[in-house]
Amino acid sequence: MDSSDYNPTPHVIPEGENATPLEVVGGDCTATEKLIIIMCGLPATGKTHIGNRIARYVSFFLDIQTKIFNVGDYRRELFGASLPAEFFDHSNKENMAKREQACDAALSDLVDYMKQDGVRVGILDSTNSSRKRRAHIRHVLQKENKLKCKIIVLESVVDKKEVIEQNVRFIKRNAPDYEGKDEKEAMEDFHKRREMYMNVYEPVDESDGSHIKVINNQTFVVHNTGGYLPQKVVHFVMNLHSHPRVFYLSRHGQSEYNLLGKIGGDAGLTDAGLEYARRLAVFANDVVGKQVIKDDETGEEKKVSRPARLWTSTLRRTKETAQFIKKEVITTQKWDNGEELEWIQFQGRTRRNLDELYAGVCDGLTYAEIAEKFPEEFQRRQEDKLTYRYPRGESYMDVTLRLETIVLDIERTREPILIVGHQGIHRLLYAYFMGLPRDQAPFVSIPLNTVIELTPHAYGCDEKRYVLLSKEELLKDGQDEPVTSMPMKEMAENTQKKSSGDGKTYEFDPMNPPSF
């Protein structure tokens, strides 16, 4: 036997062949490290927003099981949602006892959660306005010796009146406490509630131990905070802001490879793809780059330009899709420091991190050709689409790793962003912002000729879809993917089998592709 073929004791990794890199499945370098984050801050300072973003980031990109324990949810469950501002009067001993009961219930569930195997991060979301309350929480957590958790207090401070008012208006529209209530009454009640907390609030200091202080999302104080997970949290939080924002996901227009049913490649657009590009340019100018403002005196609404960004991948089909978008200089934009700059509207930024998932040796093939030439690889992908890596190519998990920097940029950007990208890329971005588990990401519907508008906020993410080129105008998009890669087996079994015309039968409906 040739020595090159002799390997009696191969190195077998537990993840199997074509394994996902450890960096995107949590790894084992921090497998025993646990972290509890105690949120702190006055109402309308963005605590819930920060806590939810941290939980989403840690669970999606670090693959670390994370859960938020919102004390307000426990209060509503115990005593109802329609509670007046007087309920939060700290001089009322009866109501204080009720609020402490809600906090202790959340704290108890947090402790039970952190005792579970595999659980790594827990977040206690509440105002925690006094040092006494924060000391009590730390005492309860530290006496549970089995936890062995790092504890960090994360305080959000906002002292800018315009930001507070903006946050109050958002809370009035979205918070469970004010659902269905009159707008004026809700605003008055919330301001009274905030004043109750301001009367007794004690800022975080060194007596609170390890802590992170976020001031207006501009100044950050980090005290005695070390370790892998805490430092990842610090880095992420420094990219957050609480300003309203929106971004838009658009696949490229139909490419020559789309029309042929081929995956990957660097093909240009078809005539239908160019038509979509022209319509996208109109959409960018009329929707992405505009906002509606209301005159305070007359109540008249009008559209005005707003600064907007444009990102594409490095591949030809995305750049051709963005080619008709006008790049005009609009009125000056005032930044936080008072500096005024001229803004070039939709000044394109090409980012390789947005390139489509690389199919390796399967690049440029149809799914039927992959099934014929690489039947074992085809079957592996059908069994686990999330972690399957194309030979000499990438997996969805690999792409997740390179999208982390993109997400950080989206989180910190205030202007609307139009991202012209690819199906695999947008599936992961959509799943992250919509709160979907990673294993559902490969099955998200991201059709051609459609713009997806996403508006993240403290309580989730709103979605709106715009179809710019209908199926009647584009009879076949070439996006036929085998149905057996769908997450639910029964959906595949109920899908009618269609003949491909080459004497073989494949499980897909070419006019209604289930996943692409």
Side-chain angles (χ1 to χ4, degrees), residues 22-23 26-33 64 120 228-229:
L22 287 175
E23 295 93 320
D28 60 0
C29 62
T30 60
T32 60
E33 185 179 15
I64 292 175
R120 304 278 297 287
Y228 175 78
L229 283 178

PDB file of all heavy atoms in Angstrom, residues 22-23 26-33 64 120 228-229:
ATOM      1  N   LEU A  22     -15.598  25.940  14.726  1.00  0.00           N
ATOM      2  CA  LEU A  22     -16.028  26.104  16.107  1.00  0.00           C
ATOM      3  C   LEU A  22     -16.479  27.532  16.411  1.00  0.00           C
ATOM      4  O   LEU A  22     -17.348  27.753  17.239  1.00  0.00           O
ATOM      5  CB  LEU A  22     -14.890  25.726  17.060  1.00  0.00           C
ATOM      6  CG  LEU A  22     -14.579  24.226  17.174  1.00  0.00           C
ATOM      7  CD1 LEU A  22     -13.355  24.038  18.048  1.00  0.00           C
ATOM      8  CD2 LEU A  22     -15.747  23.466  17.758  1.00  0.00           C
ATOM      9  N   GLU A  23     -15.882  28.518  15.729  1.00  0.00           N
ATOM     10  CA  GLU A  23     -16.188  29.899  16.049  1.00  0.00           C
ATOM     11  C   GLU A  23     -17.660  30.232  15.871  1.00  0.00           C
ATOM     12  O   GLU A  23     -18.160  31.157  16.485  1.00  0.00           O
ATOM     13  CB  GLU A  23     -15.362  30.851  15.165  1.00  0.00           C
ATOM     14  CG  GLU A  23     -13.869  30.785  15.414  1.00  0.00           C
ATOM     15  CD  GLU A  23     -13.185  29.812  14.470  1.00  0.00           C
ATOM     16  OE1 GLU A  23     -13.773  28.744  14.210  1.00  0.00           O
ATOM     17  OE2 GLU A  23     -12.090  30.113  13.986  1.00  0.00           O
ATOM     18  N   GLY A  26     -20.264  28.203  18.844  1.00  0.00           N
ATOM     19  CA  GLY A  26     -20.039  28.392  20.268  1.00  0.00           C
ATOM     20  C   GLY A  26     -18.679  27.936  20.725  1.00  0.00           C
ATOM     21  O   GLY A  26     -18.135  28.454  21.693  1.00  0.00           O
ATOM     22  N   GLY A  27     -18.083  26.952  20.021  1.00  0.00           N
ATOM     23  CA  GLY A  27     -16.766  26.466  20.407  1.00  0.00           C
ATOM     24  C   GLY A  27     -16.783  25.833  21.774  1.00  0.00           C
ATOM     25  O   GLY A  27     -17.826  25.549  22.360  1.00  0.00           O
ATOM     26  N   ASP A  28     -15.605  25.578  22.321  1.00  0.00           N
ATOM     27  CA  ASP A  28     -15.542  25.045  23.682  1.00  0.00           C
ATOM     28  C   ASP A  28     -14.592  25.842  24.556  1.00  0.00           C
ATOM     29  O   ASP A  28     -14.340  25.472  25.691  1.00  0.00           O
ATOM     30  CB  ASP A  28     -15.122  23.564  23.665  1.00  0.00           C
ATOM     31  CG  ASP A  28     -13.758  23.348  23.044  1.00  0.00           C
ATOM     32  OD1 ASP A  28     -13.123  24.331  22.626  1.00  0.00           O
ATOM     33  OD2 ASP A  28     -13.333  22.196  22.982  1.00  0.00           O
ATOM     34  N   CYS A  29     -14.063  26.959  24.010  1.00  0.00           N
ATOM     35  CA  CYS A  29     -13.123  27.754  24.797  1.00  0.00           C
ATOM     36  C   CYS A  29     -13.819  28.461  25.952  1.00  0.00           C
ATOM     37  O   CYS A  29     -13.185  28.839  26.930  1.00  0.00           O
ATOM     38  CB  CYS A  29     -12.418  28.777  23.898  1.00  0.00           C
ATOM     39  SG  CYS A  29     -13.529  29.965  23.136  1.00  0.00           S
ATOM     40  N   THR A  30     -15.131  28.642  25.866  1.00  0.00           N
ATOM     41  CA  THR A  30     -15.858  29.320  26.944  1.00  0.00           C
ATOM     42  C   THR A  30     -17.049  28.481  27.403  1.00  0.00           C
ATOM     43  O   THR A  30     -18.020  29.008  27.910  1.00  0.00           O
ATOM     44  CB  THR A  30     -16.370  30.680  26.460  1.00  0.00           C
ATOM     45  OG1 THR A  30     -17.258  30.471  25.352  1.00  0.00           O
ATOM     46  CG2 THR A  30     -15.236  31.581  26.023  1.00  0.00           C
ATOM     47  N   ALA A  31     -16.948  27.170  27.235  1.00  0.00           N
ATOM     48  CA  ALA A  31     -18.104  26.308  27.489  1.00  0.00           C
ATOM     49  C   ALA A  31     -18.556  26.341  28.941  1.00  0.00           C
ATOM     50  O   ALA A  31     -19.706  26.034  29.238  1.00  0.00           O
ATOM     51  CB  ALA A  31     -17.784  24.876  27.079  1.00  0.00           C
ATOM     52  N   THR A  32     -17.667  26.702  29.850  1.00  0.00           N
ATOM     53  CA  THR A  32     -18.046  26.718  31.265  1.00  0.00           C
ATOM     54  C   THR A  32     -18.316  28.133  31.767  1.00  0.00           C
ATOM     55  O   THR A  32     -18.695  28.308  32.920  1.00  0.00           O
ATOM     56  CB  THR A  32     -16.923  26.087  32.119  1.00  0.00           C
ATOM     57  OG1 THR A  32     -15.710  26.843  31.936  1.00  0.00           O
ATOM     58  CG2 THR A  32     -16.687  24.644  31.722  1.00  0.00           C
ATOM     59  N   GLU A  33     -18.112  29.127  30.937  1.00  0.00           N
ATOM     60  CA  GLU A  33     -18.293  30.511  31.360  1.00  0.00           C
ATOM     61  C   GLU A  33     -19.763  30.906  31.275  1.00  0.00           C
ATOM     62  O   GLU A  33     -20.399  30.751  30.237  1.00  0.00           O
ATOM     63  CB  GLU A  33     -17.450  31.443  30.487  1.00  0.00           C
ATOM     64  CG  GLU A  33     -17.498  32.894  30.943  1.00  0.00           C
ATOM     65  CD  GLU A  33     -16.640  33.795  30.069  1.00  0.00           C
ATOM     66  OE1 GLU A  33     -16.244  33.363  28.967  1.00  0.00           O
ATOM     67  OE2 GLU A  33     -16.376  34.927  30.487  1.00  0.00           O
ATOM     68  N   ILE A  64     -24.941  30.837  21.720  1.00  0.00           N
ATOM     69  CA  ILE A  64     -24.978  30.659  23.172  1.00  0.00           C
ATOM     70  C   ILE A  64     -26.407  30.871  23.655  1.00  0.00           C
ATOM     71  O   ILE A  64     -27.012  31.918  23.402  1.00  0.00           O
ATOM     72  CB  ILE A  64     -24.022  31.647  23.865  1.00  0.00           C
ATOM     73  CG1 ILE A  64     -22.566  31.284  23.519  1.00  0.00           C
ATOM     74  CG2 ILE A  64     -24.224  31.647  25.368  1.00  0.00           C
ATOM     75  CD1 ILE A  64     -21.547  32.255  24.057  1.00  0.00           C
ATOM     76  N   ARG A 120     -25.962  29.603  29.217  1.00  0.00           N
ATOM     77  CA  ARG A 120     -24.749  30.391  29.398  1.00  0.00           C
ATOM     78  C   ARG A 120     -25.019  31.844  29.792  1.00  0.00           C
ATOM     79  O   ARG A 120     -24.243  32.431  30.523  1.00  0.00           O
ATOM     80  CB  ARG A 120     -23.952  30.384  28.091  1.00  0.00           C
ATOM     81  CG  ARG A 120     -23.605  28.994  27.573  1.00  0.00           C
ATOM     82  CD  ARG A 120     -22.407  28.449  28.251  1.00  0.00           C
ATOM     83  NE  ARG A 120     -21.266  29.281  27.946  1.00  0.00           N
ATOM     84  CZ  ARG A 120     -20.648  29.311  26.760  1.00  0.00           C
ATOM     85  NH1 ARG A 120     -21.079  28.548  25.768  1.00  0.00           N
ATOM     86  NH2 ARG A 120     -19.608  30.082  26.575  1.00  0.00           N
ATOM     87  N   TYR A 228     -14.130  36.514  28.040  1.00  0.00           N
ATOM     88  CA  TYR A 228     -14.567  36.440  26.652  1.00  0.00           C
ATOM     89  C   TYR A 228     -15.979  36.987  26.461  1.00  0.00           C
ATOM     90  O   TYR A 228     -16.201  37.903  25.667  1.00  0.00           O
ATOM     91  CB  TYR A 228     -14.503  34.986  26.178  1.00  0.00           C
ATOM     92  CG  TYR A 228     -15.039  34.771  24.788  1.00  0.00           C
ATOM     93  CD1 TYR A 228     -14.291  35.097  23.667  1.00  0.00           C
ATOM     94  CD2 TYR A 228     -16.313  34.229  24.584  1.00  0.00           C
ATOM     95  CE1 TYR A 228     -14.783  34.903  22.382  1.00  0.00           C
ATOM     96  CE2 TYR A 228     -16.811  34.035  23.305  1.00  0.00           C
ATOM     97  CZ  TYR A 228     -16.041  34.370  22.203  1.00  0.00           C
ATOM     98  OH  TYR A 228     -16.533  34.184  20.947  1.00  0.00           O
ATOM     99  N   LEU A 229     -16.953  36.440  27.176  1.00  0.00           N
ATOM    100  CA  LEU A 229     -18.340  36.868  26.983  1.00  0.00           C
ATOM    101  C   LEU A 229     -18.565  38.328  27.366  1.00  0.00           C
ATOM    102  O   LEU A 229     -19.183  39.081  26.606  1.00  0.00           O
ATOM    103  CB  LEU A 229     -19.290  35.957  27.766  1.00  0.00           C
ATOM    104  CG  LEU A 229     -19.573  34.585  27.153  1.00  0.00           C
ATOM    105  CD1 LEU A 229     -20.484  33.776  28.062  1.00  0.00           C
ATOM    106  CD2 LEU A 229     -20.212  34.737  25.781  1.00  0.00           C
TER     107      LEU A 229
END
